[in-house]
Amino acid sequence: MEHKIKFLFLLIILGFQGCDYFEMRGFVAAYETVDERFDQSMEWNETHPFKTISINSEDYKIYAMGDSHLGTADNLNIFFNSAKNDQAIATVMVGDMSTGSVENYLFLKQNIPDPDSLLTFQLVGNHDLYFHGWLQFYQMFGSGIYYFTVQTPNAKDLYICLDSGGGTLGTKQFEWLNELLQAHRDEYRHCVIFSHVNIFRIRNTLSTNPYPGEVMALSQLCLEYNINMVINGHDHIQNVVQFGPTTFITMDALQDGLDYAGYTIITSQGDSLSYQNLNFQ
Amino acid sequence: MFKFFVLVFACFLFVIKMEAQYRLQNHFDVGKTKSSNGFYLSNSSYFDYTLKNTTFKIGARVDLIEQTSFNRFFSGLDILVNQKFPLKKMELNLSVEYFMNLYSQWITENNGAILGILKTKHFEWLAGLHFRNIHFNKIENELNFNNRNIYELWNLVYGIKYNLKPIDSKWNIGIGITNKDYFVINQASNPMIYLDGKYKIKSQLTLFAEMWLLKAGVMNISANYYGLFLRAGVLWNIK
């Protein structure tokens, strides 16, 4: 009996090894530490200044999605077309856009609109790091940790994009975020944070959340600096909780084939910032 | 009648005193995590009172080195009631536990858990349910919000530990995996791996040491390292 179990286990491992979507090394741990990715992102940021989107109106929309897990890109293209039709000023992709493989990243790149037609911002998810996917991400999109600002005639808003693909922000990134908010939060009207891994565990799920210590540290930061929204993916199922001044939004996955696939629209109108979770069906 | 009650009460106290057992535990944790902003050092003390098979336990934690912006000293309180059920060749413990973490002047984490621990000759199994509440404390004239609480749904608590020698041996080495430690129950998807050792230097005095490795989510493929800490302590069976 014992031999049979061992044989079955070996067979399963070998079966997975033969599968295009499984890679043992990346399954166990990320290829690089989150601090190493931070260093590379900062290196990129030094030569690629943070973007400022200047608009003539007080009102604007930003589209956000996560977890497209390409595959196929039907929902992704509907999402981009909706954003264009709605005259969104930008879209944010909060990670797990791909499965991490080179072919998959190339397919993803093919489906991302030209910046002249629609501005897109990409973040790293855990699946994007699989198959040593960070190399592809860095080569195609550059930094995974940055911010962009929106300048309206009367105000400035801050949108921060973070790398939580490895399940933690890491020491350096957390320090960077803290310093950014401490130095500049006062200059902006609204502040929204995007990252991949959802912060709170409101439902029972196999997907991972940050350790309680990191959850508390992030909650404290959101409170201290009056963060309006934190927008995540990762869990695949929509969830919204209000905690203190901050609305924590976990978006539905955009992946093709899901009957609940969806995305989020952030709307700035006058001085108010609101969100709307939309589903395809 | 009154004298009778006094006599019964005195006998009761005597019996309690005769049968009760007291235990003190003190340990230091030193480590570093991705959210600790450098090294931390904390000290925890527990006092156990056991009467027959029932144990009442209370513990407190203070942070001696703490480099986050939380700026805290007294950081945790733990209360536990445990009922032991001796079985043939094993021991079952059922516990109800409440602990709180005072993360900062603004944030308190409240935890409740119902736990079952089964001890066999070499193995310790843990299973239970856990509930977490994160609360923004009300501070006068500042930070007053309507939504002050986050309630997580029940969370699975689990653990398995293998001891090299039988559990009651004079010395022992063990290895385990769990999502529960003193003052923390991680989400089910964040198990921690630990190695521990103990040595009974006297019949009533035991020294112990542990090393814990934390990874940012095993269910999260491509997970990054989160932290590591060491623990050293002493357990004193006073009576």
Side-chain angles (χ1 to χ4, degrees):
Chain A
M1 183 65 184
E2 197 184 325
H3 288 298
K4 278 182 185 171
I5 292 171
K6 280 179 185 169
F7 180 71
L8 193 67
F9 183 72
L10 199 68
L11 209 65
I12 290 168
I13 293 288
L14 285 173
F16 270 127
Q17 290 290 5
C19 173
D20 286 346
Y21 297 103
F22 185 77
E23 186 243 338
M24 185 54 110
R25 167 64 184 82
F27 185 79
V28 174
Y31 279 84
E32 62 293 305
T33 69
V34 60
D35 288 339
E36 282 167 358
R37 290 199 302 275
F38 174 85
D39 289 338
Q40 288 181 44
S41 290
M42 290 302 119
E43 206 178 298
W44 175 276
N45 292 342
E46 276 174 21
T47 49
H48 300 79
F50 299 125
K51 282 192 173 68
T52 296
I53 307 168
S54 297
I55 52 174
N56 297 324
S57 162
E58 284 304 313
D59 305 340
Y60 65 88
K61 285 180 182 174
I62 291 176
Y63 273 49
M65 55 68 68
D67 301 275
S68 50
H69 293 278
L70 308 181
T72 52
D74 298 342
N75 287 349
L76 187 66
N77 286 315
I78 295 171
F79 167 80
F80 285 135
N81 287 332
S82 303
K84 283 179 196 171
N85 293 338
D86 207 12
Q87 294 182 322
I89 59 165
T91 60
V92 182
M93 306 169 78
V94 305
D96 277 9
M97 304 171 288
S98 69
T99 59
S101 68
V102 178
E103 302 77 30
N104 218 250
Y105 263 107
L106 289 170
F107 182 67
L108 171 67
K109 185 79 174 165
Q110 285 166 15
N111 283 282
I112 290 179
D114 187 89
D116 293 334
S117 66
L118 183 66
L119 208 50
T120 61
F121 294 95
Q122 289 81 19
L123 278 72
V124 180
N126 52 313
H127 282 268
D128 301 317
L129 298 173
Y130 205 32
F131 292 100
H132 207 173
W134 169 247
L135 296 179
Q136 311 306 320
F137 184 96
Y138 195 68
Q139 198 181 349
M140 287 180 188
F141 307 116
S143 176
I145 302 161
Y146 53 93
Y147 63 84
F148 63 90
T149 58
V150 178
Q151 174 78 64
T152 70
N154 294 318
K156 274 197 300 182
D157 298 327
L158 177 63
Y159 293 87
I160 304 170
C161 299
L162 302 177
D163 172 353
S164 63
T168 174
L169 291 181
T171 311
K172 289 181 177 178
Q173 186 174 195
F174 198 82
E175 207 176 300
W176 175 83
L177 176 64
N178 203 4
E179 282 170 7
L180 171 68
L181 292 170
Q182 201 170 19
H184 300 293
R185 175 64 184 97
D186 289 348
E187 299 162 20
Y188 298 94
R189 178 181 54 178
H190 303 309
C191 180
V192 176
I193 293 177
F194 298 98
S195 77
H196 179 65
V197 174
N198 54 306
I199 313 295
F200 296 110
R201 195 177 187 81
I202 305 301
R203 70 182 194 96
N204 295 114
T205 167
L206 277 178
S207 71
T208 301
N209 305 82
Y211 270 86
E214 190 158 319
V215 171
M216 302 307 151
L218 281 166
S219 303
Q220 166 114 352
L221 215 63
C222 290
L223 177 73
E224 217 173 327
Y225 295 106
N226 193 25
I227 305 300
N228 301 83
M229 287 181 197
V230 173
I231 297 180
N232 307 120
H234 189 57
D235 195 29
H236 284 212
I237 308 257
Q238 184 192 121
N239 203 298
V240 180
V241 284
Q242 181 76 34
F243 190 35
T246 312
T247 308
F248 291 85
I249 300 166
T250 305
M251 295 186 291
D252 278 323
L254 194 87
Q255 190 175 356
D256 287 356
L258 299 177
D259 55 5
Y260 54 84
Y263 57 94
T264 298
I265 304 172
I266 303 157
T267 306
S268 176
Q269 199 160 28
D271 272 342
S272 81
L273 191 72
S274 60
Y275 71 92
Q276 191 185 5
N277 288 322
L278 291 179
N279 294 94
F280 287 102
Q281 294 176 338
Chain B
M1 193 64 180
F2 176 72
K3 281 181 184 172
F4 173 75
F5 277 117
V6 170
L7 189 66
V8 169
F9 186 65
C11 289
F12 178 68
L13 283 180
F14 180 72
V15 171
I16 283 180
K17 202 181 167 189
M18 289 291 286
E19 293 187 3
Q21 291 177 304
Y22 310 95
R23 198 169 78 157
L24 264 179
Q25 178 184 325
N26 188 278
H27 65 252
F28 286 89
D29 290 344
V30 60
K32 193 178 176 184
T33 70
K34 292 290 177 194
S35 54
S36 67
N37 195 27
F39 281 98
Y40 68 87
L41 175 68
S42 67
N43 180 257
S44 304
S45 299
Y46 277 90
F47 174 72
D48 295 14
Y49 172 87
T50 302
L51 182 64
K52 290 190 175 169
N53 286 327
T54 309
T55 300
F56 301 91
K57 192 169 186 172
I58 185 161
R61 184 184 62 197
V62 293
D63 290 339
L64 304 171
I65 299 174
E66 206 281 315
Q67 301 190 66
T68 68
S69 58
F70 292 159
N71 192 23
R72 65 197 179 194
F73 177 67
F74 176 69
S75 62
L77 177 73
D78 189 354
I79 298 164
L80 181 144
V81 180
N82 181 71
Q83 181 68 40
K84 186 166 82 177
F85 299 96
L87 305 169
K88 198 180 176 184
K89 290 186 178 176
M90 57 179 84
E91 181 188 301
L92 176 67
N93 289 273
L94 295 178
S95 305
V96 179
E97 184 175 13
Y98 164 79
F99 63 91
M100 67 192 294
N101 283 306
L102 303 163
Y103 275 95
S104 70
Q105 58 170 334
W106 290 323
I107 297 178
T108 304
E109 182 198 25
N110 295 296
N111 295 270
I114 304 162
L115 306 164
I117 300 160
L118 187 70
K119 293 180 182 175
T120 58
K121 193 176 175 186
H122 288 277
F123 281 95
E124 292 172 52
W125 305 83
L126 163 71
L129 291 178
H130 162 240
F131 306 88
R132 190 195 321 272
N133 156 251
I134 307 168
H135 176 74
F136 276 150
N137 304 324
K138 200 162 190 170
I139 297 171
E140 213 170 324
N141 298 328
E142 59 171 328
L143 304 171
N144 290 321
F145 303 106
N146 293 327
N147 306 291
R148 314 191 137 269
N149 289 290
I150 290 275
Y151 295 96
E152 288 188 352
L153 278 185
W154 63 268
N155 176 34
L156 183 70
V157 188
Y158 57 87
I160 177 171
K161 184 190 169 194
Y162 173 73
N163 294 293
L164 191 67
K165 300 185 77 180
I167 284 175
D168 293 330
S169 304
K170 189 178 178 184
W171 66 269
N172 217 333
I173 292 173
I175 184 165
I177 183 166
T178 181
N179 64 338
K180 183 184 187 310
D181 187 24
Y182 300 106
F183 297 102
V184 69
I185 296 177
N186 290 336
Q187 303 89 342
S189 54
N190 279 325
M192 303 172 282
I193 299 166
Y194 64 98
L195 259 174
D196 75 353
K198 67 163 192 175
Y199 182 69
K200 213 179 265 186
I201 50 173
K202 282 183 181 176
S203 63
Q204 289 178 310
L205 213 57
T206 305
L207 299 178
F208 64 92
E210 300 167 7
M211 185 176 81
W212 290 69
L213 178 68
L214 287 67
K215 207 158 171 284
V218 165
M219 303 297 181
N220 188 9
I221 64 164
S222 309
N224 277 128
Y225 162 82
Y226 182 72
L228 184 135
F229 70 90
L230 303 172
R231 170 175 294 148
V234 61
L235 194 66
W236 178 27
N237 289 307
I238 303 167
K239 183 183 167 250

